Every structure is written in structure tokens, then in C-alpha cells.
Amino acid sequence: MPRHPEKLVTVLGSAYFQPIADLVERLIQRKRTRPTRVQSTHDESGYAAAGVLLLVAMFESYVSRVRFTQPKLVADATRSAVDVVLSVFPKLRHRKALEDVYVLRDLLMHGHLWEIEYEWGGPVPMVLKSAILHPAYGDKKFRRRVNSTTHRTKALSLSAFPSRVDRRDLLKVFETLWKTLLRFEVQDRFQCYVSHLHVRFKGKPVLFADLQGELKSAL
């Protein structure tokens, strides 16, 4: 049998969709308990954080595809995913929201360490008294995008405490990244074509985009 030359661009892209759907399904099977000022439940924070990280990994895969298809617009020296996106979409209206997503991604991926003092035992489950971020963590983006009083990001109100991340944060990340992917798709389906893709969810095929509605219903 004759050999035929082919090329492969190593972009996982939609291969992440089903694992994300599985995490969302597992998460919303659990009853939601409203987070305190300090933390959400163990399972809630774990599944939500894992979902955020997988969503960002999926998104960066498509960002790499954009870099591949738009070499004249993205310099090789451009490293961050947000900078790649802004190189191609300099007027992106939700750029601050996208930066907030990457603040959350960084603090989860790099394990930002907070020392938190709180009180418990009264009608309010946990009363936050103080929170100090270890000096080894937090970059310019973190300081620019996080409100030092609320300990939440400024555009999306994402939690800056890893222990407090929950499904509401996951939903906001999903919505922001999906909105950006659709911008990629409108510009050129060759670089990103996702609006038609399905996953298995609760035993039946559903559009990947519809997982956002499932998360909203579980709030």
C-alpha cells in the first residue's frame, strides 16, 4: 500500500468537551450550598476549580489554532493567550472579563496561598476577619484586576480565594470563553468551529453550549 504524506496540527480543541461535560454533570448532581465569605464545600470547590482549568485548557487550544491561522497578526514572541487574542481582536469588548478568567486560572493553577482569619459559631457560618496573600503570589494582572476589599475580580466578580470557588464562577468562565470562541468562529470557521458540537450529558446528546444553561439551572 503506498504511503501518503499528511500534516497534523497538535490542537486538542473539542477533545476537552466531553471531559468538561462529565465534570459539569458530576458537579450539578450535588446539592449547592451557598459559599461563605471564606469557602465553599469541598466537592463544590474541587469540581468547579477542575472545570475552570479544563475550560481554559480547551480555550488555549483554540487560541493556538488562531495563532496558527493568523501568523501575520500574532508575533512569535507573543506568549500569553490573552495577548494572542487581542492581537487578532484588538477591539474585543469583553477583554477585562477575559483577563479576570486568567486571574482565576493563575490562582488555581499555581495554588495562590492565602492566610485567612475568620470567626465562627454565630448565626453567620464564617465571618471573614482578614486575608493576606503570601508575597510569593500575585502578579501585576492580579493586582490590577482583583478588588482588595471584596477579594473578587472587578469585571466578573470571580473569587480570589481558591477555597471559595464554586459553580457560579465556573459558569462565568464558561460564558466568557464561549463568547470568545464564537468570535473566533464568526471570523473564520477554519480556525474555530464549535457552535454545532455535541456531548453526552445525562445519557443523551446535547450541544456543548447548552451546558451553560444546565449550570444556570443548578444555581
Side-chain angles (χ1 to χ4, degrees):
M1 183 176 180
R3 293 182 177 273
H4 302 281
E6 295 287 352
K7 288 185 178 180
L8 172 68
V9 178
T10 57
V11 173
L12 288 179
S14 61
Y16 286 106
F17 281 17
Q18 189 59 56
I20 291 168
D22 293 343
L23 276 173
V24 171
E25 184 171 353
R26 289 288 188 92
L27 172 60
I28 67 176
Q29 285 173 351
R30 289 159 169 77
K31 182 180 179 181
R32 181 175 186 262
T33 301
R34 188 178 183 85
T36 68
R37 290 285 305 281
V38 176
Q39 65 182 20
S40 57
T41 63
H42 186 266
D43 284 351
E44 181 81 12
S45 60
Y47 275 99
V52 167
L53 292 175
L54 271 186
L55 278 167
V56 175
M58 175 272 293
F59 177 72
E60 292 209 0
S61 191
Y62 282 106
V63 171
S64 293
R65 182 75 181 179
V66 170
R67 178 194 288 275
F68 175 74
T69 59
Q70 306 277 0
K72 294 181 180 179
L73 296 178
V74 185
D76 291 344
T78 304
R79 288 290 178 260
S80 81
V82 174
D83 287 343
V84 172
V85 173
L86 294 179
S87 295
V88 181
F89 302 94
K91 296 182 179 180
L92 191 74
R93 298 182 68 177
H94 60 279
R95 63 182 297 167
K96 291 182 178 178
L98 190 58
E99 289 176 353
D100 281 8
V101 168
Y102 272 83
V103 168
L104 181 57
R105 176 264 184 199
D106 288 352
L107 68 90
L108 293 175
M109 179 62 74
H110 302 302
H112 281 37
L113 183 64
W114 292 85
E115 292 185 72
I116 295 175
E117 293 185 2
Y118 64 92
E119 293 179 350
W120 64 279
V124 179
M126 283 180 158
V127 177
L128 178 67
K129 305 303 290 185
S130 68
I132 300 173
L133 182 64
H134 190 286
Y137 300 96
D139 56 10
K140 291 181 181 179
K141 179 171 76 280
F142 181 93
R143 291 187 289 272
R144 186 175 69 250
R145 296 305 312 154
V146 174
N147 184 309
S148 60
T149 300
T150 63
H151 305 105
R152 289 187 175 276
T153 63
K154 294 177 181 177
L156 293 180
S157 193
L158 302 173
S159 175
F161 296 164
S163 57
R164 195 173 61 184
V165 171
D166 74 336
R167 64 189 70 184
R168 189 176 295 275
D169 296 307
L170 176 60
L171 174 60
K172 291 175 181 177
V173 168
F174 200 143
E175 291 174 335
T176 302
L177 297 184
W178 189 252
K179 182 191 304 184
T180 314
L181 290 178
L182 293 181
R183 286 293 304 278
F184 296 173
E185 180 176 302
V186 167
Q187 185 187 64
D188 185 356
R189 282 188 175 183
F190 178 68
Q191 69 186 3
C192 179
Y193 186 28
V194 293
S195 59
H196 66 301
L197 296 178
H198 289 70
V199 291
R200 296 289 297 179
F201 188 78
K202 296 182 179 179
K204 61 182 180 181
V206 301
L207 285 168
F208 182 71
D210 289 349
L211 297 183
Q212 295 168 90
E214 298 287 346
L215 278 167
K216 285 180 183 177
S217 298
L219 293 178

